[in-house]
Structures are given as structure tokens and as C-alpha cells.
Amino acid sequence: VDLFYCVRNRDEAVFAAELRSIEQRCAGLRVHVVVEDLEGPPTTDLIERETSLQGAEFLLCGHRVMIRRLLEDLRAHGVPRSTIHLENLEYF
């Protein structure tokens, strides 16, 4: 499992240490902290640098704009819609 924890800036990465701790205890879990101010928004290219898109299931959770952009980007890279699962958060 590759978990991409996306935040706007380092100050928002409030769960990074906890996720790293869980990563150390769970074989097969890889945590990737994506800081938008440094790396830009999450994209398919960013995901492909860390893992393969082939045969993957994608669970997207976050604000509507990020989800829409990433969904469009995944689809443009040939990822089947049936492998993309969405949960929209409306607190933004």
C-alpha cells in the first residue's frame, strides 16, 4: 500500500510522524508525504515516480478540487475509472 499524504505546506502535515510510526510497524505500507508548496499538487507523474499505476486501485480522499484534478489526470494516463474510488470531503 502506498499512502500519499498531501498537504499544502509543512505546517499542515500534523499526522506525518504518526503515519511514519505506523509505516515502521506495517510491512507493505509506504507513506509518501507530498508538500504542495514544495512539490506542487499531487499528480499521476508524482505517483508513478514512487509506484506503478498498473493493476493498482486508487482511493482518493480530499477536497473537491484536488480530487477532480487527480481523477482527470489518472484517466488521462489510462487508469480505468473502475479502479478509482472517491470520497469527497466538504470541510474546505
Side-chain angles (χ1 to χ4, degrees), residues 10-77:
R10 287 192 190 278
D11 291 339
E12 289 186 358
V14 295
F15 296 109
E18 183 177 355
L19 290 170
R20 293 284 186 212
S21 175
I22 294 168
E23 176 184 37
Q24 295 300 312
R25 296 188 314 265
C26 295
L29 173 64
R30 295 187 322 158
V31 174
H32 312 273
V33 178
V34 179
V35 180
E36 192 169 326
D37 284 354
L38 301 174
E39 302 173 71
T43 63
T44 302
D45 290 337
L46 181 141
I47 295 168
E48 280 188 304
R49 284 195 298 265
E50 302 297 333
T51 191
S52 174
L53 301 179
Q54 298 299 317
E57 293 283 327
F58 296 87
L59 299 114
L60 307 180
C61 180
H63 61 83
R64 192 177 341 186
V65 174
M66 182 188 76
I67 295 292
R68 185 180 64 239
R69 286 181 185 155
L70 193 50
L71 174 61
E72 290 171 357
D73 194 31
L74 288 165
R75 294 294 295 129
H77 280 79

